[in-house]
Amino acid sequence: MDALLFVPVRADDSGGAPAVVRTARTGAGQERVGLAFTGEERLHAALGPTQRWIRLSRPALLALLRPLGIEDVRTDPLYVGPQMPELPESTALDLRAAGPVLAGARRHAQWLPDEVW
C-alpha cells in the first residue's frame, strides 16, 4: 500500500467541493504537475504555515489529476513558483565585497496561477 502524502489544497469558495487540489508548472510554458509532500513540515517549509492540505496516496492523487491531463506528481519540491532568473556565469558577485548581507523574513513559495478544481 502506498504511503499517504500531504497534498496542498485550497478551500472552494463556491460552496461546492470542500477542497481544491493545487497544481504548479515546472517553468514558464511547461505542463502542469501535481504536488505532494512526505511530511507536513516539508509542505509548510515550501508553502508557508497556513497552507491547507489533505492526505492522499500517490495513485489516488494521480487518479484525480489524470482527467485534467496531468500525469506527473512532484514530491517534496523545494520551491513552488515562477522559475528563478539565472545570472550569466560571467556576472559573478562577491557578496562579501558589497558589505553585510541582511536576512529578511523567511520567504515562502509563490504559486503560479494554476489551480485545478
Side-chain angles (χ1 to χ4, degrees), residues 51-108:
Q51 176 61 53
R52 295 180 184 203
W53 49 267
I54 59 173
R55 300 289 305 267
L56 292 172
S57 67
R58 183 177 176 85
L61 178 57
L62 284 169
L64 288 172
L65 297 174
R66 277 194 190 110
L68 302 168
I70 301 173
E71 297 185 8
D72 187 22
V73 173
R74 299 294 166 99
T75 304
D76 291 331
L78 297 177
Y79 178 79
V80 180
Q83 185 173 351
M84 298 299 289
E86 295 181 18
L87 293 175
E89 289 186 28
S90 63
T91 313
L93 298 175
D94 184 5
L95 294 177
R96 291 173 284 168
V101 177
L102 301 176
R106 185 173 181 169
R107 182 177 172 196
H108 297 288

Side-chain angles (χ1 to χ4, degrees), residues 10-20 117:
R10 69 172 176 83
D12 184 10
D13 297 332
S14 69
V20 177
W117 54 293

